[in-house]
Amino acid sequence: MPRYELALIVKAMQRPETAALLRRTVETLMERGAVVRGLENLGEKLLPYKISKHNERHTRGGYFLIDFHAAPGIVTGLLDHLERDIDVVRPTVLKNDPEPSNGPCCGPPVASKLQDTV
Amino acid sequence: MIRMKKSLTVGVKFMEKVDSCHSVDSFAVSRSKMFAVRSIRSLQFTFSQLGGTQQCLRSLSGSSNVVKKNDDMPLQMENPYKQPQKGCILCNITVDFKNVQLLSQFVSPHTGRVYGRHITGLCGKKQREIGKAIKKAHSMGFMSVTHKDPHFMKDPNICDIRHLE
């Protein structure tokens, strides 16, 4: 199963309400057959720009990252569900597969090999 | 080689002659002896430079016209003056949309526009990664579009651009 990352921006709320929101989000994920790997809290910050969502203008928001493994088919359904949640300001699902590290970055161009043979 | 051998024998014969002359003044004898010794010593030095007497004997025994090819050719070695490969400043650094501080360093503080390659000095791969990460951060609500986050204004300037204060 490919690995995804859900970057969740939630409304600035009190601690018990945020906890409840996270709980129901993770439960939704698990219901759809995703394996939740971990949850990170990036803190409550000022949003980079004012976001209007669910008839509300948001200035501050809580940032969360949920790492999970899931089948590719559930992603659209999940995003649909999160958009309808009034406490969620902006949900984004990204692919998070670890890339194989290539050779030396910014190496010399291949043409340099020709100079040696001359 | 043959010439040198002759002069060596000459030097030795000279020494013998000097030893045999007892009637000559002692000072003159010592001076001539010294000259002979010096000449022998210089010859010995040149012989050692050639690589010992064994090699000389070998070359003297064979034909002296053939020059061995291995001695003359330059040695095969990698360039001793080779400089270590210079990479761009983001070599071996993973670029992430979450790392807003890093991304903000490649963005104008006045307008929030992404700088081009001629200003950032990044290689093609990293410039594209940075551009994509900035766009991602914009759309996901992590980074501002029209300005640079005030917390990151005091960061050191890594781009090749001078801002008017």
Side-chain angles (χ1 to χ4, degrees):
Chain A
M1 288 199 291
R3 193 168 143 181
Y4 292 102
E5 195 170 42
L6 169 64
L8 206 62
I9 304 178
V10 301
K11 195 167 111 174
M13 300 177 289
Q14 298 299 315
R15 199 183 165 89
E17 285 149 2
T18 321
L21 164 70
L22 285 172
R23 193 193 182 83
R24 63 169 183 266
T25 311
V26 172
E27 273 173 4
T28 318
L29 271 170
M30 298 207 307
E31 269 171 37
R32 286 158 202 260
V35 177
V36 179
R37 207 185 163 93
L39 173 66
E40 280 169 31
N41 181 6
L42 304 173
E44 194 191 290
K45 297 187 247 189
L46 203 71
L47 295 178
Y49 41 84
K50 293 197 191 95
I51 301 175
S52 307
K53 195 88 182 180
H54 306 298
N55 297 319
E56 240 182 87
R57 199 109 195 271
H58 302 270
T59 325
R60 293 189 70 84
Y63 287 75
F64 292 94
L65 279 176
I66 306 175
D67 217 356
F68 63 96
H69 287 273
I74 66 159
V75 173
T76 37
L78 175 73
L79 274 171
D80 214 27
H81 179 270
L82 288 167
E83 291 277 345
R84 271 186 246 119
D85 195 333
I86 47 167
D87 288 330
V88 167
V89 172
R90 191 163 288 188
T92 321
V93 175
L94 293 172
K95 259 200 302 202
N96 196 17
D97 294 307
E99 261 181 53
S101 60
N102 302 325
C105 173
C106 330
V110 185
S112 66
K113 281 186 186 169
L114 293 167
Q115 286 170 19
D116 294 337
T117 53
V118 166
Chain B
M1 305 290 171
I2 298 161
R3 258 185 278 124
M4 282 196 199
K5 211 184 174 187
K6 266 189 182 169
S7 48
L8 185 72
T9 51
V10 160
V12 165
K13 279 180 184 168
F14 185 67
M15 283 291 284
E16 287 169 359
K17 271 189 182 172
V18 162
D19 285 326
S20 60
C21 301
H22 297 293
S23 55
V24 183
D25 193 25
S26 58
F27 183 63
V29 167
S30 57
R31 271 189 78 183
S32 51
K33 260 193 182 174
M34 271 184 59
F35 166 70
V37 163
R38 246 188 265 139
S39 62
I40 289 168
R41 280 219 188 112
S42 63
L43 287 165
Q44 280 179 344
F45 180 63
T46 47
F47 259 106
S48 62
Q49 271 185 328
L50 286 163
T53 48
Q54 284 181 355
Q55 232 185 25
C56 295
L57 288 166
R58 246 187 278 134
S59 56
L60 283 168
S61 58
S63 54
S64 51
N65 296 331
V66 175
V67 177
K68 278 191 184 166
K69 282 203 172 174
N70 298 334
D71 306 333
D72 246 347
M73 292 304 286
L75 292 167
Q76 287 295 321
M77 61 157 87
E78 63 165 74
N79 186 6
Y81 303 104
K82 198 170 188 180
Q83 253 127 35
Q85 280 177 17
K86 276 195 291 182
C88 69
I89 47 174
L90 290 186
C91 233
N92 302 325
I93 292 173
T94 45
V95 172
D96 212 1
F97 68 90
K98 292 164 257 181
N99 193 353
V100 179
Q101 186 157 23
L102 174 69
L103 298 177
S104 298
Q105 287 189 297
F106 300 101
V107 142
S108 167
H110 307 293
T111 52
R113 297 185 76 189
V114 187
Y115 286 138
R117 208 169 302 184
H118 57 288
I119 298 173
T120 60
L122 296 169
C123 72
K125 199 162 78 158
K126 285 294 167 184
Q127 176 74 20
R128 241 178 299 121
E129 274 183 40
I130 287 274
K132 288 280 180 192
I134 289 172
K135 291 245 169 190
K136 230 186 248 185
H138 284 167
S139 83
M140 290 168 70
F142 276 74
M143 190 165 144
S144 172
V145 186
T146 46
H147 64 266
K148 191 164 152 176
D149 195 321
H151 301 291
F152 306 140
M153 286 289 199
K154 292 278 167 42
D155 287 348
N157 186 17
I158 49 178
C159 291
D160 189 20
I161 197 160
R162 208 168 64 95
H163 298 295
L164 299 164
E165 278 303 308

